[in-house]
Amino acid sequence: MTASLTVAERRIGLLISILLALMGLVMAAAAGHGVMSLHGFMALALGLGLAFILGGSLYEAEAPADRLSRYYDAPTRFGISMTLIWAMIGMAVGVWVAALLYWPEGTPAWPATSFGRLRPVHTTGIIFGFGGNALIATSFHVLQRTSRARLADSVSPWAVLIGYNLFCVWAVTGYMLGSTQSKEYAEAEWYADIWLVVIWVTYFVLYLRTLARRNEPHIYVANWYYLAFILVVAMLHIVNNLALPVQWTSAESFPIWAGVQDAMVQWWYGHNAVAFFLTSGFLGMLYYFLPVRSGRPIWSYRLSIVSFWGIVFFYIWVGSHHLHYTALPFWAQTLGMTFSIMLLVPSWASAGNAIATLNGAWHKVRDDATLRFMFVAAVFYGLSTFEGSFLAIRPVNSLSHYTDWTVGHVHSGTLGWVAMIVFGAIYTIVPQLSGKTDMASATAVEWHFWLAVSGTLIYVISMWNAGITQGLMWRAYEENGALSYSFVESVEAMAPYYLLRTIGGGLFLAGAVICAWNCRVTMRRAVGHATDRPLVAQPAE
Amino acid sequence: MLKLHYNLEKISMGLVAAIILAASVGGIVEIAPLFTIDETVELPDDLRPHTPLELAGREIYIREGCYACHSQMVRSLADELDRYGPYSLASESAYDHPMLWGSKRTGPDLARLGEKYSDAWHVAHLINPRDVVPASIMPSYPWLTRSLDTELLSPSLATLARLGVPYDEAMIAAADADAAAQSRPDSDAMDGFIERYGERPAARDFDGDPSRLTEMDAVVAYLQSLGTLTDAPYQILTEGGQ
């Protein structure tokens, strides 16, 4: 990190680190005890650690003079490493909680690792840790390449990445210690939420400032998606997390929303976290890396415009399909259902555009596991968006809701689509940033591919079976009008599927570990920088 | 149209504005009316907020992530009415910051749980579910027998009062005492509790250990209160049946 910064930048970094340490100290001292104080100490330790590194490097050699004529890839490299670390943590905890459903006494009954506390560790670790780091890291890469300009400055990318990871660590350690808002995918407490807003604003400003320096008249499609991701996630995050702390010196808070309004706000957030965190940004990835890797331009420019605006406009409406037959007014449910069905059009336009782009490059898909990752991602994107629209139809939802079918659907999206496109992007970027043409081991990529595909299929198929079985058992009647099954009987029927699901998740995790190892070896053997360069050398500001 | 977009792609702030605009409509149309229409804002006369002890139990329910496996929302479907009871009304959770409707039923819905089982059953079940339901895959919660921390109870009531939950000054001031009183009905503090919360909330030694106020007391008091905060859903059901 430090070698790529000028001495002046190191000084700014030092100042920010000291501020972070001070903030941590104030938090720890004010809270006195409990989760918030521990989180204060974490910030203090991080701030001091960074201050030591930066302070110690103040008198080291200046950054190379030609650095402004290169892209700034060091933050991307760090972001990719964090992506892989979080992938292993998030997926390992996922396999753990999956195993607990088959074997509830498999691990000791300790508060910190009981199912209900680990489950948000898994979801946050994957969505924010793995997904978020991947999005930020690749967005820096894509933004620079498509603008043919270097990042606008060298300090804020680090602030964004390091600050963001502090948020993730605060969140997951908080859950294990019992600190949670209980809002799904937004469980982190109020001060972590405020912290994330600060980071997000820094990220947005960096994005816009870099766009402003672009040497291309047009802003490339991938950037529209990344921009939508940054903007709309900010909007959702702020509205859903509005809360009143019980005291300024403790983690506990109460959301300002209650009851049915809270339910609507929560699922407006929840489903659009899927849309703008887990879809939009990753479509940005797809729109850049798929053409790059296959060597073919995006099939239809027109279709990409239609699908982009369709996704941005339609998605926002669909959250209420999580609340069919509940106390949410009927008209709101109907709107959610209607837009969910319409959403299929822009979704399939994107998936179709991606697959049509590969037309003429099928031999590459066959031979190149990296491109195959992207192809499978596009296919699963198409499948899971179809499934999503289907599950949003009211009568279908009456069967599927509350069951493991939903869990299967989510994982066909997260494993099949999100993780696959991330791995495709990583296998493209990592060699490039290491000054190489290929990953250290092509065989390992092949193994990863097949582990990932088989893991996903086993997972998804077992959860389909589980969910449909549950749904049918809950609504089965005897001839005399009595319910056929007690609830516990439906729990017992799940056992084989829960076991299979754990195995599927285990295979997927194994693939991710192989990927992390392969990336580490490739990065360690790096022989230089990426060879591509910005269009013109940027004058120093 | 394409031409317009062609130009929009050159202006980053234009794209930003267009994205914000396009992404705002749906949320506003669906969320804003919920704050005004009768269906979602009219409350039954007999709706009561949680007592301090129940509220403490609710916070533990949240802390342990019970909501990850249990819903509290009976949908208006025949089998759910038969299995759980009357369907849930919006007004029932009007004081719930946040709502705990849930999204997954690894275990059964709990919206109508109140007074379905004895306190002793709940205590045994929470300490080890498999002692009472051998096939259960619910986690054990043996640590709930520890003492209840009431430090934040009074400020919690005060915070909720600021958000519109009907807790008055006296309730806020006496939160700790009321929590203790609800689990020890033969104590002197009981009169004050009844004065503030009436006779409706169940008051008894929930965890079977009168010497201490524990987290178990709080959780069981909360579980026994589920579905009993108002009679409205039951009345609708009998009216509908006639």
Side-chain angles (χ1 to χ4, degrees), chain A residues 340 344 347-348 380-393 409:
Chain A
S340 303
L344 190 59
S347 299
W348 273 28
F380 266 100
Y381 178 62
L383 288 177
S384 52
T385 47
F386 173 76
E387 187 185 22
S389 299
F390 181 63
L391 292 178
I393 300 172
H409 167 59

Side-chain angles (χ1 to χ4, degrees), chain A residues 376-377 379-381 383-384 387 404 407-417 420 448-466 497 499-509:
Chain A
V376 171
V379 172
F380 266 100
Y381 178 62
L383 288 177
S384 52
E387 187 185 22
D404 281 296
V407 180
H409 167 59
V410 171
H411 283 83
S412 112
T414 45
L415 301 177
W417 150 235
M420 298 282 183
H448 179 194
F449 176 79
W450 290 108
L451 283 170
V453 171
S454 52
T456 306
L457 287 176
I458 294 176
Y459 191 111
V460 173
I461 293 172
S462 55
M463 287 297 94
W464 280 336
N465 279 298
Y497 306 120
L499 178 63
L500 270 178
R501 176 258 291 272
T502 311
I503 295 171
L507 295 179
F508 202 92
L509 168 67

Side-chain angles (χ1 to χ4, degrees), chain A residues 105 184 214 301 309 477, chain B residues 5 9-10 82 103 130:
Chain A
E105 294 178 32
E184 280 185 78
R214 71 185 181 277
Y301 165 71
W309 292 106
Y477 278 96
Chain B
H5 202 272
E9 284 165 29
K10 296 180 189 166
D82 287 338
S103 60
R130 278 152 294 284

Side-chain angles (χ1 to χ4, degrees), chain A residues 83-84 86-96 98 122 126 130-131 282 372-374 376-377 380 408 410-424 426-427 444-460 499-517:
Chain A
T83 305
L84 291 164
W86 280 108
M88 290 188 288
I89 298 174
M91 290 175 198
V93 177
V95 175
W96 187 353
H122 164 60
I126 289 299
F130 169 63
F282 293 97
R372 233 180 294 137
F373 266 111
M374 301 187 201
V376 171
F380 266 100
V410 171
H411 283 83
S412 112
T414 45
L415 301 177
W417 150 235
V418 172
M420 298 282 183
I421 189 67
V422 171
F423 292 133
I426 285 182
Y427 286 133
V445 181
E446 230 14 276
W447 268 93
H448 179 194
F449 176 79
W450 290 108
L451 283 170
V453 171
S454 52
T456 306
L457 287 176
I458 294 176
Y459 191 111
V460 173
L499 178 63
L500 270 178
R501 176 258 291 272
T502 311
I503 295 171
L507 295 179
F508 202 92
L509 168 67
V513 173
I514 293 177
C515 173
W517 165 82

Side-chain angles (χ1 to χ4, degrees), chain A residues 395-410:
Chain A
V396 181
N397 195 269
S398 76
L399 180 84
S400 73
H401 193 54
Y402 294 132
T403 73
D404 281 296
W405 192 349
T406 313
V407 180
H409 167 59
V410 171

